[in-house]
Amino acid sequence: MDNFMAARSQMALSLGFHIIFSCIGMVMPFFMAVSHYLWLKTNKPVYKNVTKAWSKGVAIFFATGAVSGTVLSFELGLLWPEFMKHAGPIFGMPFSLEGTAFFIEAIALGFYLYGWNRFNKWFHWFTGVVVGISGIASGILVVSANSWMNSPTGFDYINGKYTNIDPIKAMFNPAWFSQALHMSIAAFAATGFAVAGVHALMIMRQKNINFHKKAFRIAAVFGIVASILQPLSGDISAKMVAKRQPAKLAAMEAHFKTEEYSPLIIGGIPDVKNKKVDYALELPGLLSFMVHDDFKTPVKGLDQIPERDQPPIAVTHYSFQIMVALGMLMMGIGVIYLIAQFKKRNWFDKTWFLKLFIAATPVGFIAIEAGWTVTEVGRQPWIIQGIMRTKDAVTPMPGIGYSFYLFTAVYLTLSVAVIFLLYRQIKMVPEIYDNTKPSTH
Amino acid sequence: MLYVVILFLWLALLLYLVMGGADFGAGIIEMFTSKPNKMRTRQTMYNAIGPIWEANHMWLIIAIVILFVGFPVIYTTMSTYLHIPLVIMLMGIIARGTALTFRNYDAVIDDMQKVYNKIFVYSSFITPLFLGIIAGSAVSGRIDLHATDFMSAYIYSWLNWFSVSIGFFTVALCGFLAAIYLIGETNEASEQKRFIRKAKLMNVAAVVAGASVFAASVAEHIPLIQWVFGNIIGIAAVSLASISLILLWILIYRGKRYIIRVLAGFQVTMILLTTTYKHYPNIVILKNGGYLSLINDHGADKTIVALGSALLIGSLFILPALVYLVWSFQRKPQNIKDQH
Ligand code: HDD
Ligand code: HEM
Ligand code: HEM
């Protein structure tokens, strides 16, 4: 495998792995805080059990998120030294604040996980809330570093030199808000659906129904609200992309020709050689409308972008289609849930309703991976949009292929281990957490 | 502000060495514990480090972030030429963090525990070994920016007697710190005796590895002796460290459990001080006498100001919370495992 491909693949693998754990580490504390709150208020032991069961899962995810994040902060230099040499001081501000956020998170987690019966119960609850808040803060900060790569600001680039550096301005680059908003909502949507799905499965299997129903409700409500907001924030993101990265937008849409009444292209198979899309649904004027708020103004197509500045079209297009399709699906499930909530309460006991949620368990995370592929692959061939090319940033050390294989093996093993451990956690629910069977825990 | 940032970098390294070091050391001690006693050692250890291991590990992240934001050339040079030991260290960090958590949170207790234990113990050894090798390589003058072949660019930069000796020295130091720490964590006389024996063993190992470091520095023409003994601060620090080591052993036998921790921490501080003081601010020494300096090779001034402010403000939140965390779990030592 050539060095450059290997480095890109290793980066993608590490980030794709980390994002799952960081999303869960960011969102689960909120679920726990709600359940914990309900326990403190109602004194129903089932809520305490849900909180404790979740907190064990979170500890496992946390450790994995923390170590994979540590790896990332080294990998930036291991794989992209030329990039970090220049970018470090410019986009480093969010990373240094993120350090603080992580630290607070780690401390609060220590209090929370080990603090049962040791502290004032509201102080203990509060440390759980702090874990969640600082997790979200670190997510927002790291995404703001990434959005700088998409819309680099806060410096002047003159004759290959980076001068006039202003790290604060770089942090609040034009893309940070739309990306941070979209990412945070995505984390809630994906984690909410995933957790709800697992509990729905257990309800269907008629195991510890009371326990799983309570857990399902909490997770589902978060997931539903987020998945309804998500397309709205996606629209804001798309408008931002159109403004700052027309090549990415064109690749997302497989939009080859610049013309009036630019169509919105849904699905289809991009034929890059002949510059057309086969089997797609084309809605004339809609892309123009989404970008410019009127149906006529043309949207810049790939024909106006030099080939050497174009991202891989097929990957970007497919990923975008997958994300949007799954987003619509999740919103649809959200609407069904709301109807059930207000009208057909009996749906909650119907198998088809539960099956819907079980089937939806992984969709949020698939959408997240797809979305990041859009963002990152769509930025190619640039590592810093318009300033530095990815191939100029890669490490001079040969043999990165081996390192990529090693990391692949390690991450695969870890994924299997985490799934195995979660399976065992769930299997043990009847023995440890079900209050119909008294236990010492 | 540059000095604030440098101070934080130094403190982060020191705290990682002390807190993270004791944490790694716990695994090293477990490695050298005989089978029948392993279970108890493990329990004592887990009660001691469970609540704070995530926080301990943060010092490394802080140091790395300071490096890549404030001193990008130093960060990228090290990560290019020390790529291989860094990857090995990262593997150690992954294995250790996950194994510690998995063995504690696996809902079913069965033979998998053995697997977790093995991984935990080996990675507790590997990680500080390579951490030490990386630190040693930074000052060993083997990083060659003009190397043309793979071996001298990416292998001999770290694989040499001096760096490897520093690696073993670091391992011994971590084990020593952990043993001293664990003495205070248990009330059983037999267990305390075992930890005291471990502390002795680690102390001897540190002396042997230290001697090897000095021998290597002479053989490989690294002016270590001059860095340590060629200036008043170095001599003072070495003398204080020696006196405190003697005091430490006297107090161990008097059963003083908390003051010995302070003294052990003091030892490490003095060691780090002597080895960094004389060649400060040049933290990476290159082949052919070049070097990378904290004073000259830093990022833009505005970045340093922003970074320094972030660190100062961050520490206002972090330090009190961290102190309270450590203090609360010290105050009521009880069996954590029963809690969940
Ligand atoms: C649960 C996950 C999820 C769902 C359902 C959606 N997205 Fe998304 N999307 C993400 C998760 C995500 C993400 C993984 O979080 C990304 C990657 C980078 C980012 O900021 O968010 C992203 C990026 C991203 C981008 C690129 C932003 C950039 O490069 O700056 C656009 C244009 C959209 N999204 C648009 C949408 C639209 C129109 C959706 C309509 C349904 C949608 N997303 C659903
Ligand atoms: C966690 C969510 C993220 C995922 C899943 C992700 C995914 C990816 C993928 C798929 C690539 C490879 C693109 C290609 O080479 O074709 C990549 C590259 C890269 N990403 Fe991200 N990314 C994420 C967030 C970030 C963040 C927050 C940063 C930095 C602040 C970042 C920095 C980079 C860098 C430096 C590269 C390599 C250069 C390049 O290929 O352009 N990524 N990422
Ligand atoms: C969009 C992408 C990312 C998001 C949303 C994200 C978020 C998070 C969160 C919430 C945590 C806390 C630990 C946990 O909950 O498990 C975490 C851990 C970590 N992340 Fe990421 N991260 C992203 C990408 C990155 C990148 C690109 C880096 C490095 C450059 C990084 C570095 C770290 C580090 C060092 C930790 C460990 C902190 C600890 O010990 O708690 N992350 N990440």
Side-chain angles (χ1 to χ4, degrees):
Chain A
M1 195 178 223
D2 96 65
N3 231 31
F4 176 48
M5 263 325 285
R8 286 169 68 182
S9 313
Q10 183 176 327
M11 194 72 199
L13 172 78
S14 310
L15 283 157
F17 184 83
H18 178 69
I19 188 74
I20 295 178
F21 295 90
S22 49
C23 280
I24 293 172
M26 206 148 96
V27 173
M28 282 300 283
F30 288 100
F31 296 179
M32 285 173 353
V34 170
S35 159
H36 195 158
Y37 177 86
L38 291 172
W39 177 58
L40 294 177
K41 278 285 166 197
T42 64
N43 254 329
K44 285 187 190 151
V46 60
Y47 285 118
K48 182 182 183 184
N49 291 331
V50 169
T51 312
K52 284 204 168 188
W54 275 345
S55 78
K56 288 202 178 178
V58 164
I60 294 169
F61 277 99
F62 232 99
T64 318
V67 295
S68 59
T70 309
V71 171
L72 277 172
S73 47
F74 283 88
E75 264 178 332
L76 285 173
L78 291 172
L79 300 175
W80 314 103
E82 200 48 38
F83 164 64
M84 286 310 283
K85 202 193 280 175
H86 303 292
I90 311 174
F91 84 157
M93 196 58 203
F95 282 113
S96 32
L97 294 173
E98 194 196 14
T100 305
F102 282 151
F103 220 131
I104 292 172
E105 193 180 3
I107 293 171
L109 190 74
F111 277 115
Y112 189 75
L113 289 181
Y114 298 90
W116 290 93
N117 308 331
R118 279 173 173 247
F119 300 104
N120 170 301
K121 62 183 182 181
W122 286 107
F123 173 78
H124 180 228
W125 175 80
F126 177 69
T127 59
V129 177
V130 173
V131 175
I133 292 174
S134 44
I136 294 285
S138 36
I140 290 175
L141 287 164
V142 77
V143 170
S144 131
N146 176 272
S147 63
W148 177 83
M149 295 162 62
N150 285 324
S151 59
T153 37
F155 66 100
D156 292 324
Y157 184 66
I158 302 165
N159 298 332
K161 289 245 171 350
Y162 300 75
T163 56
N164 248 338
I165 289 171
D166 182 348
I168 309 290
K169 216 169 143 198
M171 179 159 110
F172 294 108
N173 58 71
W176 87 270
F177 179 75
S178 61
Q179 272 196 246
L181 179 71
H182 196 59
M183 176 73 236
S184 310
I185 300 177
F188 277 95
T191 312
F193 269 84
V195 175
V198 171
H199 291 290
L201 179 67
M202 302 316 282
I203 298 172
M204 207 171 79
R205 291 199 181 155
Q206 305 281 329
K207 290 216 174 113
N208 314 91
I209 301 241
N210 188 29
F211 176 94
H212 289 294
K213 266 197 173 157
K214 297 278 191 288
F216 173 82
R217 287 276 174 132
I218 296 171
V221 168
F222 274 100
I224 296 308
V225 172
S227 69
I228 291 173
L229 296 175
Q230 187 67 347
L232 302 176
S233 111
D235 183 51
I236 301 177
S237 290
K239 288 202 164 76
M240 269 310 302
V241 173
K243 249 196 236 140
R244 56 164 213 259
Q245 294 172 301
K248 184 191 274 183
L249 185 82
M252 277 155 55
E253 285 295 327
H255 175 51
F256 286 102
K257 271 199 289 298
T258 311
E259 59 193 1
E260 284 186 348
Y261 302 102
S262 303
L264 184 72
I265 297 173
I266 297 177
I269 299 174
D271 179 350
V272 178
K273 224 188 244 146
N274 301 315
K275 307 206 182 321
K276 62 185 177 56
V277 188
D278 300 326
Y279 317 112
L281 178 65
E282 295 198 13
L283 307 173
L286 212 55
L287 186 63
S288 292
F289 178 71
M290 287 172 82
V291 172
H292 298 298
D293 285 324
D294 85 81
F295 288 97
K296 193 167 168 209
T297 319
V299 174
K300 198 170 181 180
L302 289 162
D303 52 359
Q304 294 203 349
I305 294 156
E307 207 145 302
R308 63 191 290 266
D309 291 347
Q310 288 181 5
I313 293 159
V315 175
T316 315
H317 179 69
Y318 291 136
S319 309
F320 186 62
Q321 305 305 307
I322 291 174
M323 167 172 60
V324 174
L326 294 179
M328 292 304 172
L329 177 74
M330 287 161 79
M331 189 168 75
I333 298 178
V335 172
I336 293 175
Y337 183 94
L338 289 185
I339 296 172
Q341 185 67 40
F342 291 117
K343 288 220 162 115
K344 314 246 163 145
R345 293 201 150 260
N346 61 340
W347 280 2
F348 283 102
D349 298 320
K350 291 264 192 303
T351 1
W352 68 265
F353 184 81
L354 294 172
K355 275 192 179 148
L356 195 61
F357 273 91
I358 296 166
T361 306
V363 292
F365 283 100
I366 299 173
I368 283 188
E369 301 285 358
W372 275 105
T373 310
V374 173
T375 303
E376 304 288 295
V377 176
R379 189 183 57 240
Q380 303 307 318
W382 303 101
I383 189 167
I384 308 174
Q385 179 71 40
I387 307 272
M388 185 190 280
R389 280 173 197 272
T390 310
K391 69 171 166 30
D392 299 330
V394 72
T395 180
M397 180 167 128
I400 301 297
Y402 298 103
S403 148
F404 169 59
Y405 300 136
L406 176 68
F407 276 87
T408 309
V410 168
Y411 283 144
L412 275 180
T413 316
L414 272 186
S415 310
V416 173
V418 168
I419 292 169
F420 171 73
L421 280 161
L422 282 190
Y423 169 76
R424 299 231 249 188
Q425 287 289 342
I426 294 165
K427 206 175 72 176
M428 293 301 276
V429 164
E431 274 163 56
I432 306 179
Y433 302 111
D434 193 359
N435 40 325
T436 55
K437 292 183 194 156
S439 130
T440 52
H441 287 264
Chain B
M1 212 41 130
L2 181 59
Y3 293 99
V4 173
V5 173
I6 294 175
L7 183 69
F8 268 101
L9 178 61
W10 194 81
L11 280 178
L13 286 176
L14 176 69
L15 286 165
Y16 188 58
L17 201 58
V18 175
M19 313 265 289
D23 190 335
F24 287 126
I28 298 167
I29 298 288
E30 189 178 323
M31 189 171 198
F32 289 102
T33 299
S34 59
K35 267 240 169 69
N37 294 324
K38 270 208 167 109
M39 202 54 216
R40 276 235 304 286
T41 302
R42 213 168 278 152
Q43 190 60 45
T44 310
M45 184 207 93
Y46 190 74
N47 291 343
I49 68 175
I52 51 173
W53 87 264
E54 282 256 16
N56 288 346
H57 153 111
M58 286 310 300
W59 295 111
L60 178 64
I61 315 265
I62 299 281
I64 283 301
V65 168
I66 294 178
L67 271 185
F68 82 55
V69 177
F71 309 96
V73 177
I74 296 174
Y75 169 77
T76 52
T77 307
M78 289 183 64
S79 47
T80 305
Y81 291 92
L82 303 175
H83 191 118
I84 295 169
L86 278 166
V87 168
I88 300 175
M89 183 192 79
L90 288 177
M91 291 293 147
I93 288 178
I94 297 182
R96 185 173 190 280
T98 46
L100 174 70
T101 309
F102 290 178
R103 81 170 172 188
N104 201 52
Y105 283 97
D106 195 343
V108 184
I109 308 289
D110 59 9
D111 279 355
M112 280 306 289
Q113 290 287 331
K114 284 192 192 144
V115 179
Y116 305 141
N117 289 335
K118 274 240 159 55
I119 296 176
F120 176 72
V121 164
Y122 287 118
S123 52
S124 295
F125 183 86
I126 298 283
T127 315
L129 176 66
F130 277 84
L131 202 68
I133 291 180
I134 290 160
S137 312
V139 296
S140 71
R142 291 307 177 90
I143 294 180
D144 184 355
L145 302 188
H146 305 289
T148 46
D149 63 311
F150 184 81
M151 293 305 275
S152 42
Y154 304 110
I155 302 285
Y156 300 139
S157 51
W158 57 275
L159 192 60
N160 53 60
W161 183 11
F162 179 74
S163 304
V164 174
S165 303
I166 292 200
F168 280 103
F169 181 71
T170 313
V171 171
L173 204 61
C174 292
F176 181 68
L177 280 171
I180 299 291
Y181 187 79
L182 290 171
I183 293 171
E185 287 295 299
T186 171
N187 289 321
E188 272 178 62
S190 69
E191 228 191 331
Q192 280 186 349
K193 267 218 187 90
R194 264 191 308 113
F195 289 135
I196 293 177
R197 236 180 297 127
K198 294 292 179 283
K200 256 192 218 153
L201 177 74
M202 292 299 160
N203 196 342
V204 173
V207 170
V208 173
S212 167
V213 171
F214 275 101
S217 77
V218 173
E220 301 186 344
H221 308 295
I222 294 160
L224 181 67
I225 294 185
Q226 193 213 326
W227 291 339
V228 174
F229 297 106
N231 61 88
I232 191 80
I233 300 272
I235 295 177
V238 172
S239 324
L240 283 176
S242 318
I243 297 170
S244 75
L245 185 62
I246 298 169
L247 198 62
L248 178 68
W249 278 108
I250 296 174
L251 292 176
I252 288 179
Y253 283 106
R254 295 254 169 98
K256 303 269 189 246
R257 43 172 75 185
Y258 295 113
I259 190 99
I260 57 176
R261 292 183 184 174
V262 178
L263 286 176
F266 180 74
Q267 292 271 321
V268 179
T269 315
M270 289 300 120
I271 292 171
L272 195 67
L273 184 66
T274 34
T275 46
T276 50
Y277 177 74
K278 188 59 203 284
H279 63 86
Y280 165 85
N282 308 333
I283 60 168
V284 176
I285 297 178
L286 305 168
K287 197 152 184 161
N288 311 328
Y291 49 78
L292 300 178
S293 143
L294 291 172
I295 302 290
N296 299 325
D297 297 300
H298 63 77
D301 291 333
K302 260 199 173 159
T303 305
I304 296 292
V305 172
L307 175 61
S309 319
L311 289 167
L312 285 172
I313 296 168
S315 55
L316 280 177
F317 289 98
I318 292 168
L319 292 178
L322 189 60
V323 169
Y324 184 54
L325 177 73
V326 174
W327 179 75
S328 336
F329 287 95
Q330 275 304 320
R331 199 174 36 133
K332 308 182 211 165
Q334 51 179 279
N335 203 335
I336 284 169
K337 212 149 188 173
D338 291 349
Q339 304 251 322
H340 42 223

